[in-house]
Amino acid sequence: MPSVRAKILIIEDDKKMSDALVSGLRESNYDVSTAASGEEGFYLVHKLNPDLLLLDLTLPQRNGLEILQQLRAEGIDVRVLVLTSHNTVDDRVSGLRMGADDYLGKPFSFPELLARIDALLRRFLPPTEPESFQIQDLRLDTRARVAMRAGQKLELTSREFDLLLYLAQYRGRTVSREMLARDVWRETSRFTPIDNVIDVQVARLRRKIDDPFGVKLLQTVRGLGFSLREP
């Protein structure tokens, strides 16, 4: 089963605050990256595809609300927790209406921050793996590692089954190549040229699970990744 270690990106220009967050979150077993400016943070959101964003509002180059608006306009499905000293009722209402999932004013208690992060991540991290997945007429037996479609057994390699299982765990959601590289191929360096390998494996998987059947379940989401979903 692919492991899912939630990835958090901190966009914060206060180095002391950023370092403290990194230390605390890594101790809590999160995969943490940082950006010190709005422009760098916006770039890393697209590059790293984090599960959750801790977003300061007062940033050099591009402020946090601009980043938030642009991400939502692009349809980027990342949980956003705003961490800011701008903490009036009007500030909080404005931030939430612009697309933040949660809002926490500075100073804050770290246990409260962790609790809010956990609550946000529970909404989308895959639950404990069930014994089977059913997506229309596609069925995966996770214990026997057998995939069936329309009653026919699919002859999948071990890697193809891992890939299909991961997509099934995130069914209905878009899975990026970065997520597949990290959780299925277990690549730790984002500079490894693995995109072509992933594309080839996805194409092979599609030929087995979709090509012989009328309804296509494995979708390519242009510029973002792949999704296993009912059309």
Side-chain angles (χ1 to χ4, degrees), residues 19-38:
D19 288 347
L21 288 170
V22 169
S23 177
L25 292 173
R26 285 182 176 162
E27 285 182 7
S28 301
N29 201 35
Y30 289 112
D31 181 353
V32 186
S33 302
T34 63
S37 71

Side-chain angles (χ1 to χ4, degrees), residues 100-112:
D101 296 287
D102 199 357
Y103 199 106
L104 188 58
K106 297 176 182 176
F108 55 86
S109 79
F110 193 73
E112 181 181 1

Side-chain angles (χ1 to χ4, degrees), residues 11-12 55-59 62-65 68 82-86 91 95 103 106:
I11 306 180
E12 169 65 73
L55 179 65
D56 187 19
L57 295 186
T58 306
L59 295 164
R62 184 185 296 196
N63 71 47
L65 289 181
L68 186 55
V82 170
L83 285 178
T84 179
S85 56
H86 299 278
D91 290 330
Y103 199 106
K106 297 176 182 176

Side-chain angles (χ1 to χ4, degrees), residues 39-66:
E39 201 63 41
E40 180 187 14
F42 190 74
Y43 167 77
L44 288 180
V45 170
H46 291 78
K47 184 69 177 176
L48 302 179
N49 193 27
D51 301 307
L52 186 141
L53 187 61
L54 295 183
L55 179 65
D56 187 19
L57 295 186
T58 306
L59 295 164
Q61 299 178 350
R62 184 185 296 196
N63 71 47
L65 289 181
E66 290 175 359

Side-chain angles (χ1 to χ4, degrees), residues 1 9 42 55 67 104 123 129 135 158-159 161 166 169 177 185 193 202 207 214 221 223-224 226:
M1 171 185 175
L9 173 62
F42 190 74
L55 179 65
I67 293 173
L104 188 58
R123 297 180 193 173
E129 184 178 292
I135 303 171
S158 179
R159 178 71 80 189
F161 187 86
Y166 191 79
Q169 289 174 317
R177 290 177 176 79
W185 271 263
V202 169
R207 284 198 292 273
V221 184
L224 295 176
F226 309 97

